[in-house]
Amino acid sequence: MKTNSLITITEFIKRAKQKGIKFGKADPYNRLRYYIKISLMPHMERKMSKEKGEKGIEALYPESALTRFIKVEELK
């Protein structure tokens, strides 16, 4: 069974835009947070950043969440 790979929130938004999602003047991060709040999207996973020189927590989404996000946007 293949595990669902994780992508950063920045990559998530980039891929959503490539798939035709229009965010307009709105902040994409706020839209994702709102969808999480109303239970349309799963919560992000948080992991320690492994980038050189960077310390902190990185927000990650399973790739399958992108498909769900696009579907929600289409149904809007």
Side-chain angles (χ1 to χ4, degrees), residues 17-49:
K17 288 179 179 178
Q18 288 172 344
K19 296 282 186 176
I21 300 301
K22 305 281 189 234
F23 290 99
K25 294 181 182 179
D27 182 0
Y29 301 99
N30 286 338
R31 188 175 302 177
L32 283 168
R33 281 187 230 125
Y34 176 69
Y35 286 174
I36 292 167
K37 182 179 179 178
I38 62 172
S39 300
L40 291 176
M41 293 288 296
H43 286 276
M44 296 177 242
E45 292 187 30
R46 289 170 170 57
K47 296 195 178 189
M48 292 300 292
S49 178

Side-chain angles (χ1 to χ4, degrees), residues 45-60:
E45 292 187 30
R46 289 170 170 57
K47 296 195 178 189
M48 292 300 292
S49 178
K50 294 181 182 179
E51 296 293 318
K52 282 188 173 183
E54 282 190 37
K55 291 185 180 181
I57 297 174
E58 187 174 49
L60 301 167

